[in-house]
Amino acid sequence: MDSEILIFYRGMALVFGSMIGSFLNVLIYRLPRDISFTLPRSRCPSCQTLIPWYQNIPILAFVLLRGRCFSCKNKISLIYPSVELLVGLFAFFTFPADFSFGAILSFTFFFSVFCVFITHFVIDFQHQILPNGLTLYLALVFLMYSCLAKPWTHWAIGGAVGFLFPLAVAWGYYLLKGREGLGAGDIKLYGALGIYLGPVGILQNIFFSSFVGSILGFGFIIFNKMDKNKPLPFGPSILIVAFVQIF
């Protein structure tokens, strides 16, 4: 494919990705609040004014509105354009240089995984929740891919280790301390990732995500960004390490 044509298609992928990012923002806001992601239409979280389509254009609307609601002038969170931009850039840089079936299928797989990662990351960071629906979707996508590309022992043992090992550690911690040390959402996420990463990969993730989580927690405490007695959302650490492993 000519470089000019490739740039054009990747530009289209950037637009498409930012539009998907806009939808992910809907999920990020509504899933933790148990609101349908289809209806009602988008509203300003502050004044509840309906947002018309031309004020909902990914990234561009935020810039033109100068980061504020058109009606109440309250600030729009930077998370919205950041998610749209990140997803758009991912689509831009990973869009395949050829249109073969395998290349498009691979792009679709990795793009969907990245979208779940971003959504999980922001929701867990804000609400300390990893929605079951997203984790189940991730597990099914990984299972379909691994059944085609990996031996059954890879995904079966990987999924089992990813779920059972953290579960045993969490149970042991509860018996010792009398309180929860690892959330059920984190354990399920480990299980889903184990299907793709396999037994060795998921054990690596468990080790390095614990290390990353410790570093992040220590940093937040040092800079007075969190109370040392307050639980730290652990999903982002798992996802950061998984991102490095997969991408």
Side-chain angles (χ1 to χ4, degrees), residues 171-203:
W171 180 245
Y173 185 87
Y174 181 79
L175 291 177
L176 235 122
K177 298 285 187 178
R179 63 178 185 268
E180 187 181 85
L182 189 66
D186 301 318
I187 296 170
K188 295 170 190 174
L189 180 58
Y190 273 134
L193 290 170
I195 295 172
Y196 180 84
L197 297 175
V200 175
I202 195 58
L203 287 174

Side-chain angles (χ1 to χ4, degrees), residues 8 73 76 80 90 109 124 133 140 163-164 167 182 212 231 236:
F8 171 77
K73 306 304 179 186
I76 301 170
Y80 294 109
F90 183 87
F109 167 74
D124 197 39
L140 291 174
F163 182 78
L164 294 175
L167 179 63
L182 189 66
V212 170

Side-chain angles (χ1 to χ4, degrees), residues 125-156:
F125 190 81
Q126 291 182 331
H127 304 280
Q128 296 190 19
I129 298 171
L130 291 167
N132 287 330
L134 292 178
T135 302
L136 178 61
Y137 173 83
L138 195 63
L140 291 174
V141 168
F142 280 150
L143 184 61
M144 287 188 290
Y145 182 89
S146 298
C147 283
L148 295 173
K150 306 284 185 180
W152 73 268
T153 51
H154 178 91
W155 55 263

Side-chain angles (χ1 to χ4, degrees), residues 39-205:
L39 292 172
R41 284 175 51 196
S42 297
R43 298 173 179 266
C44 170
S46 301
C47 66
Q48 296 301 307
T49 302
L50 281 173
I51 302 174
W53 68 267
Y54 54 85
Q55 291 179 13
N56 223 2
I57 300 172
I59 304 170
L60 184 61
F62 182 86
V63 175
L64 294 177
L65 291 170
R66 299 181 180 179
R68 293 183 180 274
C69 171
F70 182 80
S71 299
C72 66
K73 306 304 179 186
N74 278 343
K75 286 185 178 180
I76 301 170
S77 172
L78 273 171
I79 289 173
Y80 294 109
S82 298
V83 169
E84 292 164 356
L85 182 61
L86 282 172
V87 178
L89 288 175
F90 183 87
F92 178 84
F93 285 111
T94 59
F95 191 79
D98 64 89
F99 282 152
S100 67
F101 177 76
I104 295 298
L105 191 63
S106 180
F107 168 77
T108 304
F109 167 74
F110 287 112
F111 180 75
S112 66
V113 170
F114 181 77
C115 288
V116 175
F117 276 23
I118 285 287
T119 309
H120 254 338
F121 187 100
V122 179
I123 291 177
D124 197 39
F125 190 81
Q126 291 182 331
H127 304 280
Q128 296 190 19
I129 298 171
L130 291 167
N132 287 330
L134 292 178
T135 302
L136 178 61
Y137 173 83
L138 195 63
L140 291 174
V141 168
F142 280 150
L143 184 61
M144 287 188 290
Y145 182 89
S146 298
C147 283
L148 295 173
K150 306 284 185 180
W152 73 268
T153 51
H154 178 91
W155 55 263
I157 297 175
V161 171
F163 182 78
L164 294 175
F165 182 74
L167 179 63
V169 171
W171 180 245
Y173 185 87
Y174 181 79
L175 291 177
L176 235 122
K177 298 285 187 178
R179 63 178 185 268
E180 187 181 85
L182 189 66
D186 301 318
I187 296 170
K188 295 170 190 174
L189 180 58
Y190 273 134
L193 290 170
I195 295 172
Y196 180 84
L197 297 175
V200 175
I202 195 58
L203 287 174
Q204 290 172 339
N205 186 291

